[in-house]
mmCIF file of all heavy atoms in Angstrom:
data_model
loop_
_atom_site.group_PDB
_atom_site.id
_atom_site.type_symbol
_atom_site.label_atom_id
_atom_site.label_comp_id
_atom_site.label_asym_id
_atom_site.label_seq_id
_atom_site.Cartn_x
_atom_site.Cartn_y
_atom_site.Cartn_z
ATOM 1 N N LYS A 51 -9.668 -50.671 -52.973
ATOM 2 C CA LYS A 51 -10.328 -49.357 -52.889
ATOM 3 C C LYS A 51 -11.833 -49.546 -53.009
ATOM 4 O O LYS A 51 -12.478 -49.077 -53.953
ATOM 5 C CB LYS A 51 -9.817 -48.436 -53.996
ATOM 6 C CG LYS A 51 -8.399 -47.956 -53.790
ATOM 7 C CD LYS A 51 -7.995 -46.957 -54.853
ATOM 8 C CE LYS A 51 -6.597 -46.426 -54.613
ATOM 9 N NZ LYS A 51 -6.172 -45.425 -55.636
ATOM 10 N N LYS A 52 -12.379 -50.240 -52.059
ATOM 11 C CA LYS A 52 -13.802 -50.522 -52.024
ATOM 12 C C LYS A 52 -14.276 -50.322 -50.587
ATOM 13 O O LYS A 52 -13.742 -50.937 -49.674
ATOM 14 C CB LYS A 52 -14.076 -51.970 -52.470
ATOM 15 C CG LYS A 52 -15.532 -52.382 -52.418
ATOM 16 C CD LYS A 52 -15.689 -53.848 -52.837
ATOM 17 C CE LYS A 52 -17.145 -54.291 -52.732
ATOM 18 N NZ LYS A 52 -17.304 -55.730 -53.068
ATOM 19 N N PRO A 53 -15.236 -49.445 -50.388
ATOM 20 C CA PRO A 53 -15.644 -49.161 -49.003
ATOM 21 C C PRO A 53 -16.373 -50.329 -48.358
ATOM 22 O O PRO A 53 -17.036 -51.119 -49.034
ATOM 23 C CB PRO A 53 -16.565 -47.950 -49.154
ATOM 24 C CG PRO A 53 -17.101 -48.053 -50.545
ATOM 25 C CD PRO A 53 -15.995 -48.645 -51.367
ATOM 26 N N ILE A 54 -16.240 -50.434 -47.059
ATOM 27 C CA ILE A 54 -17.045 -51.378 -46.293
ATOM 28 C C ILE A 54 -18.462 -50.818 -46.207
ATOM 29 O O ILE A 54 -18.653 -49.630 -45.918
ATOM 30 C CB ILE A 54 -16.463 -51.573 -44.882
ATOM 31 C CG1 ILE A 54 -15.084 -52.235 -44.954
ATOM 32 C CG2 ILE A 54 -17.390 -52.398 -44.005
ATOM 33 C CD1 ILE A 54 -14.403 -52.398 -43.614
ATOM 34 N N ALA A 55 -19.438 -51.644 -46.482
ATOM 35 C CA ALA A 55 -20.834 -51.193 -46.442
ATOM 36 C C ALA A 55 -21.197 -50.712 -45.035
ATOM 37 O O ALA A 55 -20.698 -51.239 -44.036
ATOM 38 C CB ALA A 55 -21.770 -52.321 -46.859
ATOM 39 N N LYS A 56 -22.064 -49.714 -44.988
ATOM 40 C CA LYS A 56 -22.495 -49.161 -43.698
ATOM 41 C C LYS A 56 -23.070 -50.251 -42.799
ATOM 42 O O LYS A 56 -22.811 -50.273 -41.592
ATOM 43 C CB LYS A 56 -23.536 -48.067 -43.931
ATOM 44 C CG LYS A 56 -24.025 -47.401 -42.657
ATOM 45 C CD LYS A 56 -25.050 -46.328 -42.956
ATOM 46 C CE LYS A 56 -25.572 -45.680 -41.664
ATOM 47 N NZ LYS A 56 -26.598 -44.636 -41.960
ATOM 48 N N GLU A 57 -23.837 -51.168 -43.387
ATOM 49 C CA GLU A 57 -24.447 -52.248 -42.616
ATOM 50 C C GLU A 57 -23.378 -53.175 -42.023
ATOM 51 O O GLU A 57 -23.528 -53.673 -40.907
ATOM 52 C CB GLU A 57 -25.414 -53.046 -43.482
ATOM 53 C CG GLU A 57 -26.634 -52.276 -43.961
ATOM 54 C CD GLU A 57 -26.345 -51.353 -45.148
ATOM 55 O OE1 GLU A 57 -25.227 -51.426 -45.713
ATOM 56 O OE2 GLU A 57 -27.242 -50.565 -45.504
ATOM 57 N N GLN A 58 -22.314 -53.419 -42.788
ATOM 58 C CA GLN A 58 -21.224 -54.253 -42.283
ATOM 59 C C GLN A 58 -20.506 -53.568 -41.127
ATOM 60 O O GLN A 58 -20.195 -54.190 -40.109
ATOM 61 C CB GLN A 58 -20.223 -54.557 -43.404
ATOM 62 C CG GLN A 58 -20.755 -55.496 -44.472
ATOM 63 C CD GLN A 58 -19.740 -55.711 -45.575
ATOM 64 O OE1 GLN A 58 -19.241 -54.753 -46.168
ATOM 65 N NE2 GLN A 58 -19.421 -56.965 -45.850
ATOM 66 N N LEU A 59 -20.257 -52.274 -41.280
ATOM 67 C CA LEU A 59 -19.577 -51.530 -40.240
ATOM 68 C C LEU A 59 -20.415 -51.507 -38.959
ATOM 69 O O LEU A 59 -19.885 -51.681 -37.849
ATOM 70 C CB LEU A 59 -19.287 -50.110 -40.715
ATOM 71 C CG LEU A 59 -18.170 -49.335 -40.012
ATOM 72 C CD1 LEU A 59 -16.872 -50.124 -39.991
ATOM 73 C CD2 LEU A 59 -17.970 -47.987 -40.670
ATOM 74 N N THR A 60 -21.722 -51.336 -39.115
ATOM 75 C CA THR A 60 -22.605 -51.349 -37.945
ATOM 76 C C THR A 60 -22.565 -52.707 -37.255
ATOM 77 O O THR A 60 -22.527 -52.792 -36.017
ATOM 78 C CB THR A 60 -24.052 -51.012 -38.354
ATOM 79 O OG1 THR A 60 -24.082 -49.688 -38.905
ATOM 80 C CG2 THR A 60 -24.999 -51.076 -37.158
ATOM 81 N N ALA A 61 -22.544 -53.782 -38.044
ATOM 82 C CA ALA A 61 -22.469 -55.131 -37.462
ATOM 83 C C ALA A 61 -21.165 -55.318 -36.700
ATOM 84 O O ALA A 61 -21.137 -55.959 -35.631
ATOM 85 C CB ALA A 61 -22.609 -56.180 -38.563
ATOM 86 N N ILE A 62 -20.086 -54.771 -37.210
ATOM 87 C CA ILE A 62 -18.792 -54.848 -36.533
ATOM 88 C C ILE A 62 -18.847 -54.095 -35.205
ATOM 89 O O ILE A 62 -18.378 -54.585 -34.170
ATOM 90 C CB ILE A 62 -17.668 -54.296 -37.436
ATOM 91 C CG1 ILE A 62 -17.445 -55.251 -38.627
ATOM 92 C CG2 ILE A 62 -16.374 -54.092 -36.656
ATOM 93 C CD1 ILE A 62 -16.620 -54.671 -39.739
ATOM 94 N N TYR A 63 -19.434 -52.915 -35.228
ATOM 95 C CA TYR A 63 -19.590 -52.147 -33.987
ATOM 96 C C TYR A 63 -20.438 -52.909 -32.971
ATOM 97 O O TYR A 63 -20.145 -52.911 -31.769
ATOM 98 C CB TYR A 63 -20.263 -50.801 -34.272
ATOM 99 C CG TYR A 63 -19.464 -49.827 -35.100
ATOM 100 C CD1 TYR A 63 -20.104 -48.859 -35.872
ATOM 101 C CD2 TYR A 63 -18.075 -49.847 -35.121
ATOM 102 C CE1 TYR A 63 -19.396 -47.939 -36.634
ATOM 103 C CE2 TYR A 63 -17.347 -48.938 -35.883
ATOM 104 C CZ TYR A 63 -18.025 -47.989 -36.638
ATOM 105 O OH TYR A 63 -17.308 -47.090 -37.384
ATOM 106 N N GLU A 64 -21.497 -53.532 -33.448
ATOM 107 C CA GLU A 64 -22.386 -54.274 -32.548
ATOM 108 C C GLU A 64 -21.652 -55.466 -31.916
ATOM 109 O O GLU A 64 -21.840 -55.768 -30.735
ATOM 110 C CB GLU A 64 -23.638 -54.753 -33.288
ATOM 111 C CG GLU A 64 -24.633 -53.646 -33.609
ATOM 112 C CD GLU A 64 -25.357 -53.115 -32.384
ATOM 113 O OE1 GLU A 64 -25.128 -53.604 -31.257
ATOM 114 O OE2 GLU A 64 -26.165 -52.181 -32.539
ATOM 115 N N ALA A 65 -20.829 -56.138 -32.719
ATOM 116 C CA ALA A 65 -20.057 -57.261 -32.180
ATOM 117 C C ALA A 65 -19.115 -56.772 -31.082
ATOM 118 O O ALA A 65 -18.969 -57.411 -30.032
ATOM 119 C CB ALA A 65 -19.269 -57.940 -33.300
ATOM 120 N N ALA A 66 -18.491 -55.623 -31.316
ATOM 121 C CA ALA A 66 -17.611 -55.051 -30.292
ATOM 122 C C ALA A 66 -18.410 -54.650 -29.055
ATOM 123 O O ALA A 66 -17.991 -54.892 -27.920
ATOM 124 C CB ALA A 66 -16.873 -53.840 -30.859
ATOM 125 N N ARG A 67 -19.574 -54.083 -29.281
ATOM 126 C CA ARG A 67 -20.410 -53.604 -28.168
ATOM 127 C C ARG A 67 -20.866 -54.736 -27.260
ATOM 128 O O ARG A 67 -21.112 -54.548 -26.071
ATOM 129 C CB ARG A 67 -21.617 -52.857 -28.734
ATOM 130 C CG ARG A 67 -22.454 -52.116 -27.699
ATOM 131 C CD ARG A 67 -23.428 -51.178 -28.382
ATOM 132 N NE ARG A 67 -24.504 -51.884 -29.043
ATOM 133 C CZ ARG A 67 -25.706 -52.107 -28.502
ATOM 134 N NH1 ARG A 67 -25.974 -51.691 -27.282
ATOM 135 N NH2 ARG A 67 -26.640 -52.733 -29.189
#
Side-chain angles (χ1 to χ4, degrees):
K51 288 185 177 181
K52 178 182 178 183
I54 295 177
K56 181 180 178 181
E57 295 79 9
Q58 290 178 306
L59 202 53
T60 298
I62 291 166
Y63 293 153
E64 287 289 359
R67 189 168 72 96

